[in-house]
Amino acid sequence: MQRIRTAIVGASGYTGMELLRLLLTHPGVELVAATSRQEAGKPLSAVFPRFNRAPGAELAFMEPDPDAIAATGAEVAFLALPHGVAAEIARALLDRGLRVIDLSADFRLRDAAVYEEFYGHAHPAPDLLTRAVYGLPEVRSETIAKADLVASPGCYPTSILLPLLPLLREKLVDHSTVVANSMSGVSGAGRKADLSLLYVECNESARAYGVPKHRHLSEIEQELSIAAGEKVTISFLPHLIPLNAGIVTTTTAKLLPGVAPERIGEALESAYAESEFVRLLGRGGCPDTKNVARTNFIDIGWQFDARTGRVILLSAEDNLGKGAGGQAVQSFNLMHGFPETAGLQNF
Amino acid sequence: MQRIRTAIVGASGYTGMELLRLLLTHPGVELVAATSRQEAGKPLSAVFPRFNRAPGAELAFMEPDPDAIAATGAEVAFLALPHGVAAEIARALLDRGLRVIDLSADFRLRDAAVYEEFYGHAHPAPDLLTRAVYGLPEVRSETIAKADLVASPGCYPTSILLPLLPLLREKLVDHSTVVANSMSGVSGAGRKADLSLLYVECNESARAYGVPKHRHLSEIEQELSIAAGEKVTISFLPHLIPLNAGIVTTTTAKLLPGVAPERIGEALESAYAESEFVRLLGRGGCPDTKNVARTNFIDIGWQFDARTGRVILLSAEDNLGKGAGGQAVQSFNLMHGFPETAGLQNF
Amino acid sequence: MQRIRTAIVGASGYTGMELLRLLLTHPGVELVAATSRQEAGKPLSAVFPRFNRAPGAELAFMEPDPDAIAATGAEVAFLALPHGVAAEIARALLDRGLRVIDLSADFRLRDAAVYEEFYGHAHPAPDLLTRAVYGLPEVRSETIAKADLVASPGCYPTSILLPLLPLLREKLVDHSTVVANSMSGVSGAGRKADLSLLYVECNESARAYGVPKHRHLSEIEQELSIAAGEKVTISFLPHLIPLNAGIVTTTTAKLLPGVAPERIGEALESAYAESEFVRLLGRGGCPDTKNVARTNFIDIGWQFDARTGRVILLSAEDNLGKGAGGQAVQSFNLMHGFPETAGLQNF
Amino acid sequence: MQRIRTAIVGASGYTGMELLRLLLTHPGVELVAATSRQEAGKPLSAVFPRFNRAPGAELAFMEPDPDAIAATGAEVAFLALPHGVAAEIARALLDRGLRVIDLSADFRLRDAAVYEEFYGHAHPAPDLLTRAVYGLPEVRSETIAKADLVASPGCYPTSILLPLLPLLREKLVDHSTVVANSMSGVSGAGRKADLSLLYVECNESARAYGVPKHRHLSEIEQELSIAAGEKVTISFLPHLIPLNAGIVTTTTAKLLPGVAPERIGEALESAYAESEFVRLLGRGGCPDTKNVARTNFIDIGWQFDARTGRVILLSAEDNLGKGAGGQAVQSFNLMHGFPETAGLQNF
């Protein structure tokens, strides 16, 4: 397998760490740059002792300077940076001929006004929005393959969209009744020194947050609307629970009149028959984060409640895996003609 | 304070342990009996070393024999037994003149047919159902005070009913749109040797279970229907998460047309102005299990999502506290004319 | 019970939080001041929602100004401040007529030179050292009762000293062979925004740290030397493990020639026959943090290994309880003629 | 790479699960049999949903019948069975021409009398003891390579032996002063329905157990004695802490008179210069379980305490990895002429 010269920009957070984990051992990757302002100059394995002896882990973190990154000969860059910051460096790297896989929110929305509404500041690079592809490989693998700017989806959106999109596409459920409940592990909040993220604060703690208008709603509704062919507005209820990694999402919606419940299962099977990373557990299947942790799988089960007429969609993924780093690597594989599972066959 | 001679029947599970913790130090309780088939003959403090040196912890577990319990002079008995088993011993103790506070499901439902539908066997004592009071103190304190058979509510139902009942009573939300999502700590599954409850299985695991027709739905819908004045059917989505104790519930429902969102807060404040154990966090408040663990409090916050027209009710309680043992002790206090907070002022 | 006007200086950390928990419900305490630079002006219950509805929790945090504290009429102050900072405010409060219970390390050592060796800076108030009492109630309750400056012991030292002191006093073990191994929950590291204390960093992590010369060695060796009547130097091996609270310590030492192993148990029983908070589990007893969490108990077991001639001492305490706040309140009780267990009967 | 037809006998426990994880993706393995009495007939992926879509996970568990195993054409079998049971099936498989890698204790001891002393029953196959090799690859890779019966070391022993053996071999420390303290995650206790292993019992719990004569002492002392050239007896203090996987061990011993502390580091470096899975962190390095979880690495650091003259050896490994399944696969690689790291390059 040809090895692509690859950079990770912003590699000292949890998403960056997962990208390192995946890319250091990816057969089609030569990691040529990993940036971190705070850790510049230190070897990867000094900051993340876990990677000690991984091939390439002697590489030192560098400053996130576009020219320096380009000078490494990098052909593609993963960006694991805060929104707002990512757009700027994405442009600089695109200008220098790199392909960019951005894991921030900066290029996920097609409409700069929606970005401003949800993120609270003007979009930093609205002209690039049309160039970007929302990188959900199960939905638009061909566009991703040809893209030079991929906006890798958020962790919550992935866990909601994959079970729900086929049902909206086939018009099986009433989208005005969608309520999506998610529980995320703490790594989803990032690797930052914040009292609320301390072990003692999060252990034995479970709580909702960010209701009713979490930022991820914007991309969720955008993609649902595309699938439904009309504007979709849903309720999204995120919670923080004491896990290192993992998201469980349980979504309900009313089955449309006259639709047989079996069509739920059929729609899922038809949508994901060829998908390497969607594992369908069928009716009654209850996904568990422990079965997907450190993998790129999303497990999906479903139920139908005849008493209320509601479909129940259940999903579990690793928020750092299929919800972030793994999915971005999946797009990378598509972009380079590699098998979709290259570097992602972890169990 | 007068001390009531008190028994706990089935005191070696987690609910029993919480009752022991509360009753051993309750100023109005003289614990005269604690039963456990497996542990009969052993002092409480041998089975639960935590209670070593608690006043009364030298008491030995005894067999759950009604005559023996009555012979201790017990005036009241808490039952922390499996459903089906509880009814039989409740009758025996009532016949011997004890008042009974049952923490199982056996007397929570008014309709024996609903019991059979949800619990899978005929009700063991249908004639006692009219004698029992569903013991939610915030809703029917006066009836509880006079009752000789109190059916203490389930953990999930408490976390759903307390925020939702005032809204149904005042007809603020469309009850056909109610979706209640709950996350429970592992003690809710009981103290039983079961592979699925092992540390290694539950740690780093989050998953839904029991959808779409968890047993607790029966009592939830019964009480909601009474409040609404018509039959209510809802969706209930329970999850197991890695906590020792605690339940977080997030419930959504559509606000009825023409209702001002502020009425949500007003309804809650009006319902619970005098309630010692309901702490209202107001609009935007996000309850956290860590703030209610080992207490009898339920914390309640709410939000309104103008985009979808949905109210969001958030609650947190300790499933063993307000969700089980604490609430039962609260009923005990009402039944004996004690201050409602007696023995329950833990922080 | 008379209520003593009491202040907590530095009440927004984990030790401060535990002191608040204990003192808000202590029958002999009127909490008149709680200080925190960061939280000044906010009610206690706003910073710690857990205390919402606790009597007195409407009190607002104030700045740690000695005159303002004295102006509240406080008769006694607990200091939960970093070492170095505590000494200064202790002097100011003593000068204003308050008695002081200091939970920092500033007054634990009798020798200012040892302080400087272990803490890396000159002692801030060496003239006060002779005035201070090392506040281990099981060892010197009478001196504590009369003291106006109590240096409450560290968490690790308490867990090591209580099992070991009687053996050194009675010359049962060779003190040159002592190795003390401790495992502490994360709250022992304090409530500070530090990457290494994040949930994701500490969960699923266990590691030694601070070897070979942790600061607590200084007070451990001081007290062991007093008991032995000669200079004692030991090995102390602290570890951080994923618990919110609790310390388990396992200490080994060679039994001296000719000493019968039974004398270990006898020495412990004789030393702690009257101690309210030392629970002796006897030979073969293995203390567990879960049995002492949120209590002021220390559980102690022991073993003798005839193969190696080593005694094994096992102890468990709550690092915030008997290891910090609880023990300080125990001294407070002694200082005010209250029953030693006042406000500390938690199970 | 040639693929060896391989069986796992006893594949439904935690060690079996780790072996499955490693062998399903090992490039030199064709998994032809996995046995489990309880799960016979079910596909691996039904019992362990995590392995769904792993190559080979459609294989069904079979009964542990030696003839049936041999009939699959298996050339080698890993045994993850309880001690006592393993010996019997080992003999049957050896008789049928398979090579055996046994992860139980049955073949670890050279002396059947020591086995009986520590395991409480006569050795089930004493005649095979001379045929077995204690499979610590860092110590005797060449003998392992040629063996047909490998006794893979216990989890605790591995974490103690690897840091300590070089020091005994080079006579740097006084072996009569060795005290080894270990903390293990809960998976080390096995996958069995036992109240003491429930989530609620283990979470927030830390405790010693099995002192002073844990079964693993027998193999630890055997191997230390071989290295020292004389009989070694040590103290071993195991603890259970709330982790899924991982062991941290901290061992102390007196440096022998006249030995320079630097020789500790030199001995370790010299012993493990060529070792793929021993990562030396040097003086002051503090290994952390999180850096070795799900790998075959053991991280080793050390310190010298001039105050007491004691060396401190620190190690961390995954008890299921280097402490069990990973190490067994490492022996498998040696036995088949594969690179030692084949199938074990996880990060």
Side-chain angles (χ1 to χ4, degrees), chain A residues 159-168 173 178-181 224 248-253 264-265 268 280 285-287 299-304 310-316, chain B residues 208 211 237 239:
Chain A
S159 78
I160 294 167
L161 292 172
L162 287 175
L164 195 49
L165 285 173
L167 279 56
L168 292 204
V173 296
V178 172
V179 177
N181 309 279
L224 293 179
V248 159
T249 290
T250 304
T251 301
T252 59
I264 302 299
L268 291 169
L280 297 178
C286 279
D299 283 359
I300 298 177
W302 67 280
Q303 264 293 8
F304 176 68
R310 285 197 189 91
V311 176
I312 302 165
L313 296 167
L314 306 111
S315 69
Chain B
V211 289
L237 308 170
H239 299 76

Side-chain angles (χ1 to χ4, degrees), chain A residues 117-118 175-179 181-183 196 200-213 217 221 231-237 239 241-245 248-252 254 286-290 293-294 303-308 310 312 314 316, chain B residues 117-118 175-179 181-183 196 200-213 217 221 231-237 239 241-245 248-252 254 286-290 293-294 303-308 310 312 314 316:
Chain A
E117 177 193 349
F118 276 85
H175 63 67
S176 78
T177 65
V178 172
V179 177
N181 309 279
S182 293
M183 288 131 260
S196 73
V200 176
E201 302 299 321
C202 295
N203 184 32
E204 290 294 296
S205 160
R207 61 185 170 88
Y209 73 101
V211 289
K213 207 176 161 186
L217 256 177
E221 291 179 350
K231 179 155 178 50
V232 175
T233 307
I234 72 158
S235 288
F236 168 47
L237 308 169
H239 299 75
I241 61 173
L243 295 177
N244 268 16
V248 159
T249 290
T250 304
T251 301
T252 59
K254 290 263 189 185
C286 279
D288 188 321
T289 56
K290 75 180 167 196
R294 296 174 302 283
Q303 264 293 8
F304 176 68
D305 182 4
R307 301 167 65 258
T308 61
R310 285 197 189 91
I312 302 165
L314 306 111
Chain B
E117 176 191 351
F118 277 86
H175 62 67
S176 77
T177 64
V178 172
V179 177
N181 310 279
S182 293
M183 289 132 260
S196 73
V200 176
E201 301 299 322
C202 294
N203 185 32
E204 291 294 297
S205 160
R207 60 183 171 91
Y209 72 102
V211 289
K213 208 176 161 189
L217 256 177
E221 291 179 350
K231 178 153 179 54
V232 175
T233 307
I234 72 158
S235 289
F236 167 48
L237 308 170
H239 299 76
I241 60 172
L243 294 177
N244 268 16
V248 160
T249 291
T250 303
T251 301
T252 59
K254 290 263 189 185
C286 278
D288 187 323
T289 56
K290 75 180 168 196
R294 297 173 303 282
Q303 263 293 7
F304 177 67
D305 181 3
R307 301 166 66 258
T308 60
R310 286 198 189 92
I312 302 164
L314 305 112

Side-chain angles (χ1 to χ4, degrees), chain D residues 286-320:
Chain D
C286 279
D288 187 322
T289 56
K290 74 180 168 196
N291 294 326
V292 292
R294 296 174 303 282
T295 78
N296 195 44
F297 290 112
I298 180 168
D299 284 359
I300 299 177
W302 66 280
Q303 263 293 6
F304 176 67
D305 182 5
R307 301 166 65 258
T308 61
R310 285 198 190 92
V311 176
I312 302 164
L313 295 167
L314 306 110
S315 71
E317 64 173 25
D318 184 329
N319 58 302
L320 296 177

Side-chain angles (χ1 to χ4, degrees), chain D residues 166-189:
Chain D
L167 279 57
L168 292 202
R169 265 191 237 112
E170 301 200 15
K171 306 207 180 302
L172 306 184
V173 296
D174 174 355
H175 62 67
S176 76
T177 64
V178 171
V179 177
N181 309 278
S182 292
M183 289 132 259
S184 173
V186 184
S187 62

Side-chain angles (χ1 to χ4, degrees), chain B residues 5 180 184 275 278 298 323:
Chain B
R5 296 176 67 83
S184 174
S275 291
V278 181
I298 181 169

Side-chain angles (χ1 to χ4, degrees), chain C residues 253-332:
Chain C
K254 289 262 190 184
L255 201 66
L256 281 169
V259 175
E262 295 69 33
R263 291 202 50 204
I264 302 299
E266 292 162 10
L268 291 169
E269 277 155 37
S270 153
Y272 301 121
E274 308 294 319
S275 292
E276 298 278 2
F277 293 112
V278 180
R279 297 190 299 201
L280 296 178
L281 310 189
R283 186 169 184 163
C286 278
D288 188 321
T289 57
K290 75 181 168 195
N291 293 326
V292 293
R294 297 173 304 282
T295 78
N296 195 46
F297 290 112
I298 180 167
D299 285 358
I300 298 177
W302 67 279
Q303 263 295 7
F304 176 68
D305 182 4
R307 301 166 66 258
T308 60
R310 286 198 189 89
V311 177
I312 302 164
L313 296 167
L314 306 110
S315 70
E317 63 172 27
D318 185 329
N319 59 301
L320 296 177
K322 183 62 177 167
Q327 182 150 265
V329 171
Q330 193 182 348
S331 282
F332 168 92

